[in-house]
Amino acid sequence: MQTSPDNALTTTDSSVSASANSTVAFSPLYQQIKELMLNSLRAGEWKPGEVIPSEVELAGRFKVSQGTVRKAVDELAAENLLLRRQGKGTFVATHAEQQVQFRFLKLVPDSGTRGSEGPAQRDIIECRKSRATADVAKALALRTGDTVIQARRVLSFGGTPIILEDIWLPASPFKGLTAERLTNYQGPMYALFETEFNVRMVRADEKIRAIAASDIQANLLRVKLNTPLLSVERVAYTYRDEPMELRRGCYRTETHHYHNAIG
């Protein structure tokens, strides 16, 4: 009896480790292919902005049907890790893409869309090395006292400061990051991390609560002391599920709201 292509996963690319195969062994076949494709993304075989092999080529590589590959690609595209371009192929998504750059920013204007306000005006307040406090270290899987890069910036729309962000990054992967570099880069911050530091953020966890503006927050956001703000704490992760950024944002919500589509 001849084995069908979709039962031939054991003959996949030799670069996949035994542990990876055992992890996905009980998943649907297209999920196994998705995991193998994620391995290629993690290893840097397919870099941000580059076209990946065609579905026919991937089906031959993994010895499965083209339909199985298509399901895996569909999920990776839905997760904004891949980007289909009609007539051109499927590309590794980059944070410089218009449809991806707002992936983690859920604050939208009450009237209009997230992109209707145009690019944010960015004011880098500081960017310096510091020692990780216990809470920062825990969030970034570091040791207390490890060196981190700490940045603070204000994002304004239409001349009005809307978002104040404090950002912590492990120092080693971001060696050479300065306030000048952040100021001069014209694209999204995650695109800078991706293109110049080879750090790709692919998912994030957030905690949201209401707070009253402190003296510093009120001054930088040009609001009154104790004005209600939305506090959003985000930890962003790479392909390897490594926590690579802690970001604490304070959002004004007089003209904006937090929007998250579920399902």
Side-chain angles (χ1 to χ4, degrees):
M1 177 177 171
Q2 187 175 3
T3 303
S4 68
D6 279 5
N7 291 326
L9 188 59
T10 54
T11 60
T12 53
D13 191 281
S14 60
S15 65
V16 179
S17 66
S19 61
N21 280 328
S22 64
T23 299
V24 298
F26 300 105
S27 303
L29 188 57
Y30 78 92
Q31 289 281 357
Q32 297 180 47
I33 300 305
K34 175 185 174 183
E35 185 64 29
L36 296 175
M37 293 178 69
L38 278 170
N39 285 343
S40 292
L41 291 168
R42 293 180 185 116
E45 177 184 349
W46 308 326
K47 294 179 171 55
E50 291 183 351
V51 65
I52 69 168
S54 70
E55 290 177 0
V56 172
E57 291 172 314
L58 290 171
R61 169 175 171 172
F62 297 130
K63 295 183 170 53
V64 296
S65 71
Q66 189 175 343
T68 298
V69 170
R70 185 173 297 116
K71 280 187 176 182
V73 172
D74 284 345
E75 282 213 351
L76 291 169
E79 294 170 8
N80 291 311
L81 299 181
L82 296 179
L83 182 66
R84 295 185 186 276
R85 291 179 180 159
Q86 189 67 33
K88 295 183 179 180
T90 301
F91 293 75
V92 180
T94 165
H95 283 285
E97 294 283 351
Q98 182 69 27
Q99 55 265 65
V100 177
Q101 62 179 271
F102 295 116
R103 181 182 176 193
F104 296 146
L105 180 59
K106 302 299 184 181
L107 196 72
V108 297
D110 291 340
S111 58
T113 63
R114 188 174 286 120
S116 64
E117 298 174 299
Q121 300 87 54
R122 297 168 297 180
D123 183 13
I124 306 300
I125 308 299
E126 67 173 356
C127 181
R128 60 184 175 84
K129 287 184 178 180
S130 65
R131 297 293 180 182
T133 58
D135 58 328
V136 170
K138 181 179 180 181
L140 295 176
L142 301 173
R143 294 173 298 182
T144 300
D146 280 354
T147 303
V148 293
I149 294 176
Q150 183 175 352
R152 172 174 285 175
R153 70 174 185 172
V154 173
L155 301 181
S156 300
F157 296 93
T160 301
I162 299 296
I163 302 173
L164 167 64
E165 291 183 320
D166 286 297
I167 300 165
W168 292 265
L169 307 162
S172 181
F174 295 94
K175 185 178 180 180
L177 182 63
T178 62
E180 182 180 14
R181 206 163 176 180
L182 286 172
T183 299
N184 291 339
Y185 189 81
Q186 297 304 305
M189 183 177 284
Y190 284 144
L192 170 68
F193 295 165
E194 185 178 82
T195 57
E196 298 194 21
F197 297 94
N198 198 30
V199 175
R200 166 89 171 137
M201 309 296 190
V202 299
R203 74 172 186 88
D205 289 335
E206 288 189 337
K207 297 177 183 178
I208 304 172
R209 59 171 56 91
I211 63 170
S214 67
D215 285 334
I216 293 176
Q217 293 162 347
N219 181 54
L220 291 173
L221 288 174
R222 301 209 301 263
V223 296
K224 294 180 180 179
L225 182 66
N226 294 323
T227 294
L229 299 174
L230 189 65
S231 170
V232 181
E233 179 175 296
R234 177 195 309 161
V235 178
Y237 297 82
T238 67
Y239 284 122
R240 299 184 182 277
D241 220 30
E242 299 167 316
M244 198 60 68
E245 179 204 50
L246 170 63
R247 185 179 297 213
R248 290 174 177 158
C250 296
Y251 298 174
R252 291 179 57 175
T253 57
E254 306 99 309
T255 58
H256 291 71
H257 62 275
Y258 188 95
H259 177 80
N260 189 24
I262 300 174

